[in-house]
Structure formats: structure tokens, C-alpha cells
């Protein structure tokens, strides 16, 4: 992205190092009591600097930013085809599970479970049951705003290199979109091997006249391929954005969009150390951190993340919709999550020693009583319920949209 030609509008002479990328290294915070007097707020909307569509505020050397108001442009035919594929169980080995099974609109495209239940399960969202299924190892990450993964505080990001999953094992939405089809517990099931399933799915699509027609209309091809399936799924997911939260509106100059308590909560969020890691437009540094989080309930084999029990900093946007929290759904509430960070004296995971924990995590300041509550008030300003929740009434396979 070329910044030449963008106007840098400083409403006050505040020196923001606007070209630096997110390099922060720390954890995510969130509760407490209400008997707390926050420090006087020493910033306001007049201190915001706008570059392009991203507004950035420097608070004590930490950058927090609004999201762009418009997502990257995507061909609408690709989007609508991707929506059908996202909801169609035809993409799963047993034809009982769709992408939407674990990514529901009403939960910002997460599922409300600590660990998701894929093929073999039944029901929807937090009431889904296992039946013959074995839950997957991790919590389903919300897809709202996923198109901006990797964005820095001035809106620079590379979609082809966007980090995906809790362990950053894939880059780009298209690369991410194929992974659940390959995973046995998610969509593949036990009938087809990893080397067989994509061929099977593509053959099913090519045998379906409606899909052949839709792909021809969208891409001008006669033969459906795995690459085109991934592209269409990514196109749909790239439109799932919520960029008009009270925080975003406040950053764009509406000083009534957040309450005074929420503005104070933003400052306390920085003072408590949360913003050292949860910064930028998505309130994430997209880095992996070893925090010694308790192991998720019910795992037969410990989830070691990238091999070192390190997991990516999650976005703090849309938390209203996405409980439970952390990579294994270890905490049901924001209050529980912040308590984990309040006094990080050691590891809560017996397989992770204190010496292996992130140094900055161990150096977090102890919070005064009540600071967590005002931080949570600020986090509420990061919610926006206006995003695409449209579900197709039917899908070309004739199967039930969303699966069993």
C-alpha cells in the first residue's frame, strides 16, 4: 500500500510514528469491582491522527486505531457463490457439516462453544451436542473482520500474508478456507483421507448443474477447481465486517459516541498493560505468546499450539458475541479472563513452566480494585451488531443449510 497521496490530518500536534508496524508483545486483559477512580483522561478526539480511512491515537506510546470504513472490494458474484458454499454441507465428507456449523452469524461467526463440534454432532451453536463426534481442540474464532487480519495502525496490511488460526499456521483467507475441509473432526470425517477429500468435494460440485452454472457465471470457467472454491469462500468471508462501533465513531470525531467512563476505560486499558499486545485497529498484534493458560477441558492430548504452547493474540472486537474466550474456551466471562491477567505469578498449565512464559506477561502490573470493570465498559464500545447475517434459504445440494 502506497502512503503517498494520503492526507495526514493531525487535529493537534501530536507526534505519531504512523509508519511503524505493530510490534507489541503482551497479553489480553478484561474485570473487577466498581469502587475505582480512574486517572484523569489526558487525551481526546482532537489528538487523533487520520491516515486514509484509519484514525490512530497514541496513548502513552501505545497505538489504538479505528478500522477502515470500507473493506477491500470483492466481486459480488464471488461473494454470493461463497455464501452458498459456506452454508452447504456438500463440502463435508459425510455431508452433515458446513463451514457455518461452527461459524454462526448471531455469534459474529463463532459458535458459543468452548471447543467446536464438527462432523457427527447435531444441533446449533452453544446447544450443539457431540453424538458420535469428538470436539475439536480449539475454540472457533469469529470471522467478522477477519479480512483485516494483520492490519497495522495506519491501515497497512497484505491479504496474501494475513495470519490465520490460533497458531498462525496459514496465511490468507483462501488458505484458511480449505483447512476445515481437510480436518477429520471438523468437516472431513473418517470416510475420506486428507488426500481424497478435496477431489471428492470438487467432483460433487462438478456433478451439480447449479454449481457449474454459478461458477461459470462468477469465474467464466467450465470446470470447478479447489482453488476457485477457496477463492469464493474467502470472497464471502471478506465481506463480514463490523467497523462502526462506538469506539470507531469516537475515533472519527464523534466525541459523544463513547461515554466518559468508556473513554476512561480506554486509558485504564493502556495503563493495565492490555494495549501492549491488544493494539491497532483489531486490538491484536497477531503474534504468538506463551501465557501458561489452563488446558482446555476434555482434551485427551494437550494442545501445544505451535509446539511451544504459544497462541495468537485474539482481537477484542465483538466480544459481546464471542464468549467463551481464549483458544480452548477456558473462560466463560470477561471477568474471569481479566482475573487470569491480574496477578500472573506463574503458569496455570502444568506443561508450561514459569521460566517459559512471556517475560512481559509476568511483568504486568497488579490492577487496582475496579479497574477491570471500567476496562470492560470500554470493551463494550468495541461491539457493532451491524454486519452481514444473511443465511440462504436453500443451497444447491438440496441439503439443509448449515448441516445437522
Amino acid at each position: 500500500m502506497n502512503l503517498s497521496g494520503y492526507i495526514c490530518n493531525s487535529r493537534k500536534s501530536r507526534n505519531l510514528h504512523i509508519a511503524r508496524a505493530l510490534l507489541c508483545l503482551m497479553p489480553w486483559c478484561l474485570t473487577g469491582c466498581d469502587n475505582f477512580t480512574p486517572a484523569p483522561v489526558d487525551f481526546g478526539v482532537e489528538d487523533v491522527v487520520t491516515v486514509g480511512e484509519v484514525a490512530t491515537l497514541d496513548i502513552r506510546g501505545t497505538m489504538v486505531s479505528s478500522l477502515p470504513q470500507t473493506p477491500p472490494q470483492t466481486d459480488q458474484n464471488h461473494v454470493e457463490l461463497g455464501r452458498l458454499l459456506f452454508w452447504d454441507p456438500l463440502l463435508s465428507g459425510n455431508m452433515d457439516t458446513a463451514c457455518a456449523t461452527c461459524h454462526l452469524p448471531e455469534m459474529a461467526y463463532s459458535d458459543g462453544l468452548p471447543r467446536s463440534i464438527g462432523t457427527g454432532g447435531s444441533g446449533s451453536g452453544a446447544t450443539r451436542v457431540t453424538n458420535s463426534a469428538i470436539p475439536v481442540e480449539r475454540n472457533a474464532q469469529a470471522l467478522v473482520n477477519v479480512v483485516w487480519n494483520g492490519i497495522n495502525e495506519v491501515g497497512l496490511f497484505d491479504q496474501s500474508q494475513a495470519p490465520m488460526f490460533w497458531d498462525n499456521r496459514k496465511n490468507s483467507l483462501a488458505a484458511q478456507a480449505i483447512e476445515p475441509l481437510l480436518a477429520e473432526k471438523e468437516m472431513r470425517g473418517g470416510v475420506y483421507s486428507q488426500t481424497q477429500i478435496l477431489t471428492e468435494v470438487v467432483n460433487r460440485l462438478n456433478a451439480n448443474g447449479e454449481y457449474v452454472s454459478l461458477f461459470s457465471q462468477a469465474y467464466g470457467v467450465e470446470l470447478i477447481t479447489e482453488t476457485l472454491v477457496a477463492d469464493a469462500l474467502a470472497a464471502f468471508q471478506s465481506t463480514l465486517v463490523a467497523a462502526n462501533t462506538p469506539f470507531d465513531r469516537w475515533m472519527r470525531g464523534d466525541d459523544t459516541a463513547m461515554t466518559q467512563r468508556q473513554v476512561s476505560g480506554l486509558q485504564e486499558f493502556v495503563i493495565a498493560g492490555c494495549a501492549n499486545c491488544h493494539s491497532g485497529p483489531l486490538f491484536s498484534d497477531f503474534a504468538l505468546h506463551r501465557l501458561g493458560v489452563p488446558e482446555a477441558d476434555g482434551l485427551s492430548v494437550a494442545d501445544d499450539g505451535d509446539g511451544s504452547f504459544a497462541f495468537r493474540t485474539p482481537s477484542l472486537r465483538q466480544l459481546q458475541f464471542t464468549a467463551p474466550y481464549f483458544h480452548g474456551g477456558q473462560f466463560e466471562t470477561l471477568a474471569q479472563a481479566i482475573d487470569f491477567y491480574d496477578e500472573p505469578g506463574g503458569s496455570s498449565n502444568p506443561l508450561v513452566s514459569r521460566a517459559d512464559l512471556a517475560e512481559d506477561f509476568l511483568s504486568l502490573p497488579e490492577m487496582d480494585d475496579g479497574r477491570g470493570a471500567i476496562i470492560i465498559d470500554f470493551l463494550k464500545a468495541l461491539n457493532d451488531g451491524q454486519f452481514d447475517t444473511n443465511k440462504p434459504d436453500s443451497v444447491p445440494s438440496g441439503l439443509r443449510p448449515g448441516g445437522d
Side-chain angles (χ1 to χ4, degrees):
M1 179 177 180
N2 188 348
L3 288 181
S4 63
Y6 273 82
I7 298 173
C8 183
N9 171 28
S10 176
R11 300 183 187 132
K12 211 173 191 181
S13 59
R14 202 162 170 94
N15 179 24
L16 296 183
H17 302 292
I18 58 176
R20 82 179 186 188
L22 295 177
L23 299 173
C24 311
L25 287 173
M26 290 218 357
W28 79 296
C29 301
L30 313 163
T31 122
C33 320
D34 217 0
N35 55 338
F36 175 72
T37 302
V41 173
D42 60 1
F43 59 85
V45 293
E46 69 276 5
D47 296 310
V48 175
V49 169
T50 300
V51 179
E53 288 195 342
V54 174
T56 302
L57 176 65
D58 181 344
I59 307 174
R60 302 190 178 197
T62 298
M63 305 288 190
V64 293
S65 309
S66 69
L67 279 170
Q69 291 183 275
T70 54
Q73 295 302 301
T74 306
D75 186 286
Q76 195 59 32
N77 286 329
H78 297 179
V79 171
E80 294 309 320
L81 174 55
R83 188 193 308 274
L84 294 174
L85 292 168
F86 187 85
W87 285 90
D88 201 333
L90 189 71
L91 272 62
S92 65
N94 298 327
M95 293 193 287
D96 65 345
T97 310
C99 303
T101 303
C102 298
H103 297 282
L104 297 167
E106 61 268 28
M107 296 172 182
Y109 291 86
S110 60
D111 66 4
L113 292 168
R115 297 189 292 130
S116 295
I117 299 170
T119 183
S122 63
S124 178
T127 62
R128 186 167 171 80
V129 295
T130 56
N131 298 334
S132 61
I134 300 174
V136 305
E137 283 73 16
R138 296 178 187 171
N139 178 262
Q141 290 187 308
L143 298 181
V144 170
N145 295 325
V146 71
V147 67
W148 282 308
N149 274 18
I151 191 171
N152 74 0
E153 66 267 28
V154 292
L156 293 173
F157 72 113
D158 182 349
Q159 286 182 272
S160 69
Q161 296 302 311
M164 297 290 163
F165 296 105
W166 281 105
D167 53 10
N168 284 350
R169 69 182 183 273
K170 291 292 179 180
N171 297 101
S172 85
L173 265 175
Q176 173 273 332
I178 292 297
E179 288 295 289
L181 280 64
L182 299 172
E184 181 178 3
K185 295 177 185 177
E186 294 182 42
M187 294 178 68
R188 174 167 62 89
V191 176
Y192 301 95
S193 69
Q194 278 197 341
T195 58
Q196 295 171 329
I197 186 60
L198 293 181
T199 299
E200 171 64 19
V201 168
V202 167
N203 286 343
R204 292 175 188 173
L205 292 170
N206 278 304
N208 184 293
E210 186 174 352
Y211 271 125
V212 170
S213 177
L214 289 168
F215 272 91
S216 177
Q217 179 182 351
Y219 292 98
V221 298
E222 296 182 1
L223 187 67
I224 301 169
T225 66
E226 167 194 330
T227 300
L228 294 179
V229 171
D231 185 82
L233 285 169
F236 166 63
Q237 292 177 60
S238 72
T239 65
L240 303 177
V241 299
N244 198 37
T245 67
F247 167 77
D248 291 303
R249 298 196 301 274
W250 188 89
M251 291 287 286
R252 294 171 191 144
D254 179 359
D255 59 8
T256 66
M258 286 203 295
T259 67
Q260 186 55 49
R261 182 172 170 86
Q262 287 174 325
V263 175
S264 296
L266 169 57
Q267 179 168 267
E268 298 303 327
F269 178 83
V270 173
I271 293 172
C274 306
N276 292 349
C277 194
H278 294 280
S279 55
L282 279 183
F283 288 81
S284 172
D285 63 0
F286 306 101
L288 304 179
H289 301 284
R290 192 183 301 110
L291 306 181
V293 179
E295 200 59 70
D297 288 341
L299 284 182
S300 57
V301 178
D303 183 359
D304 64 357
D306 68 338
S308 67
F309 292 91
F311 296 92
R312 192 181 85 203
T313 305
S315 171
L316 298 185
R317 289 180 174 269
Q318 305 297 95
L319 294 177
Q320 168 188 343
F321 306 97
T322 60
Y325 307 108
F326 285 73
H327 67 273
Q330 288 94 334
F331 301 109
E332 294 183 3
T333 67
L334 296 182
Q336 292 170 347
I338 204 169
D339 284 345
F340 171 74
Y341 286 105
D342 193 6
E343 297 183 51
S347 175
S348 299
N349 187 324
L351 298 176
V352 181
S353 72
R354 188 182 190 281
D356 289 332
L357 298 180
E359 183 177 341
D360 286 340
F361 168 61
L362 291 173
S363 64
L364 279 174
E366 182 177 344
M367 278 190 280
D368 300 325
D369 287 345
R371 177 173 283 165
I374 197 171
I375 289 174
I376 287 179
D377 279 351
F378 161 64
L379 293 174
K380 292 177 182 178
L382 298 179
N383 295 314
D384 175 10
Q386 300 302 309
F387 53 87
D388 185 352
T389 59
N390 292 325
K391 171 184 175 180
D393 295 327
S394 62
V395 289
S397 67
L399 297 168
R400 180 180 180 181
D404 292 339

